[in-house]
Amino acid sequence: MNNKFLFLTLTLITTILFFSCSDIDKPIEIETEPTNNKTLFILSEGDFNKNNSTLAKFDIETGNVIKEYFREVNKRKLGAVGNDMLQYGSKLYIVMNVSETIEVVDAATGISIRQISMKSDNGGNRQPRQIAAHGGKVYITSYDDTVTRIDTVTFEKDAIVEVGMDPDGIEISNNKIFVANSGGLNYLNGYNNTLSIIDITNFTVEKEIEVGVNPTYLGKDSRGNVYLSSLGEYGKNNGMFQKISSNGEVTIIDGISSPDKFVIFENKAYIIHVNYESSYSVLVYDCLTDQIVTDNFVTDDTEIGIIHSIDVDEKTGDIFIMESDYITPGTVYCFDNKGELKYKIPLVGLNPTVIVGI
């Protein structure tokens, strides 16, 4: 459980509001020229155990949005708690945490090709979390202290390796898999503070190193350095942002407290900065110069409430900031690299979390 969830459960009301709308909503006004991508897929987590995760489809050229795209195409719901998603080849791989499946979707048609069970051999719960891909394989962390490797041709789980407590974030760099062992299920007794480094060739753990408390999100720069956002413990410490070199040396980056999810594009890290008593913002850090560029990425008058997630369009550099109050459908804001709003997609889904552009 992340710090912001602990905080929000103490402060937000528990009444759940239900909003109904047509599958195809009024087009969004796009004030700029279309980008290289024509379509965005937006994964929204939904609510815990409510089977209301959604995959929306947004047409950048027309502004049309289909909020229940997966359900419309496949005639069934996506499942419970869509935790992560990536595009690899022609397919989308969607991590369904509570449903304990990996949904494999054809990106061109939206049709589900395969639903891979993430249950253990004895039927136990794995609780898959985050996903990465490399060399024809996808790798998924799970809260049963494992990383699972899946072949993208056969869709079979061909190997599983044990790592630290409740692994979450995952990144691949220099033929090594970096895994953040958050200890997220142990939040009442204390989070974990280790990072497992796996040799990708023989798929075995090389070593485990100590990092900040509650390590959760990972990214990398062009030099192969891996960056880590450790969320800390609410009320005890604010967490930290760290750099891990290829040899496993860990450096604390000064000036970045209370980091949350982040993305790295062209060696700049866009980091959600959390101030639980006042506001949220996006801080920009230059990975090559080791300098904070700005503590507020948004340069126009756009007001954003609780920032739930952040993502980037790898083709254009557009930054997507996802807002959510954890009760009502959230809004996606698209900014150019100067921090100016291009467009927004309101009420797209409950807790929007990952965006893929094709």
Side-chain angles (χ1 to χ4, degrees), residues 213-225:
V213 174
N214 192 9
T216 304
Y217 299 109
L218 291 165
K220 65 180 177 181
D221 65 18
S222 63
R223 299 173 298 183
N225 293 318

Side-chain angles (χ1 to χ4, degrees), residues 62 85 102 120 139 147 152 168 185 199 214 232 256 285 308 335:
T62 66
M85 172 175 68
I102 306 300
S120 64
Y139 299 85
V147 175
T152 59
D168 213 321
L185 293 180
D199 181 276
N214 192 9
I256 305 178
Y285 175 79
H308 175 64
F335 291 88

Side-chain angles (χ1 to χ4, degrees), residues 17-240:
L17 302 178
F18 179 82
F19 282 78
S20 61
C21 59
S22 63
D23 282 339
I24 302 179
D25 293 81
K26 183 179 179 181
I28 307 301
E29 292 185 7
I30 308 296
E31 299 180 359
T32 57
E33 292 296 318
T35 64
N36 293 335
N37 288 327
K38 294 183 179 180
T39 300
L40 298 180
F41 292 105
I42 306 165
L43 175 66
S44 295
E45 295 173 1
D47 223 340
F48 190 75
N49 276 333
K50 290 294 179 72
N51 195 33
N52 59 352
S53 297
T54 59
L55 181 68
K57 180 181 180 181
F58 177 68
D59 188 309
I60 296 174
E61 291 185 326
T62 66
N64 286 329
V65 58
I66 306 174
K67 296 179 180 178
E68 287 277 5
Y69 178 66
F70 181 90
R71 187 184 67 180
E72 180 175 303
V73 171
N74 295 284
K75 309 306 177 186
R76 64 176 173 86
K77 292 184 177 181
L78 181 59
V81 188
N83 215 66
D84 201 6
M85 172 175 68
L86 61 73
Q87 180 187 2
Y88 193 55
S90 62
K91 303 173 184 65
L92 301 174
Y93 293 82
I94 306 173
V95 180
M96 302 304 299
N97 174 259
V98 173
S99 295
E100 301 204 80
T101 58
I102 306 300
E103 195 77 52
V104 185
V105 175
D106 180 82
T109 64
I111 295 173
S112 175
I113 301 169
R114 188 72 61 89
Q115 196 176 50
I116 304 170
S117 173
M118 288 297 290
K119 293 280 189 180
S120 64
D121 292 340
N122 62 6
N125 297 331
R126 289 200 187 278
Q127 291 187 266
R129 298 294 293 175
Q130 296 188 44
I131 187 169
H134 180 80
K137 310 284 186 179
V138 293
Y139 299 85
I140 301 102
T141 58
S142 296
Y143 262 179
D144 70 335
D145 308 341
T146 64
V147 175
T148 300
R149 187 177 70 191
I150 296 175
D151 186 276
T152 59
V153 175
T154 65
F155 302 122
E156 296 295 328
K157 296 175 283 188
D158 63 14
I160 297 175
V161 63
E162 291 188 4
V163 288
M165 182 188 296
D166 305 335
D168 213 321
I170 183 169
E171 183 61 83
I172 300 173
S173 179
N174 298 318
N175 288 317
K176 298 183 188 300
I177 306 170
F178 295 78
V179 177
N181 303 312
S182 70
L185 293 180
N186 198 47
Y187 63 93
L188 293 177
N189 298 313
Y191 293 97
N192 196 17
N193 66 332
T194 63
L195 190 77
S196 294
I197 302 177
I198 301 168
D199 181 276
I200 202 167
T201 303
N202 55 34
F203 202 50
T204 58
V205 176
E206 284 187 347
K207 58 181 173 180
E208 191 171 270
I209 59 177
E210 186 174 326
V211 293
V213 174
N214 192 9
T216 304
Y217 299 109
L218 291 165
K220 65 180 177 181
D221 65 18
S222 63
R223 299 173 298 183
N225 293 318
V226 171
Y227 294 81
L228 169 67
S229 177
S230 295
L231 306 189
E233 288 185 90
Y234 180 68
K236 292 184 179 181
N237 61 69
N238 292 327
M240 62 181 65

Side-chain angles (χ1 to χ4, degrees), residues 6 8 36 55 71 79 91 102-103 115 183 239 247-248 262 286 288 292-293 307 317 321-322 324 326 330-331 334 347:
L6 291 173
L8 288 165
N36 293 335
L55 181 68
R71 187 184 67 180
K91 303 173 184 65
I102 306 300
E103 195 77 52
Q115 196 176 50
N247 63 6
F262 68 96
D286 192 314
L288 298 185
I292 295 174
V293 177
I307 300 178
I321 298 177
M322 288 162 264
S324 176
Y326 304 93
T331 295
C334 177
L347 305 175

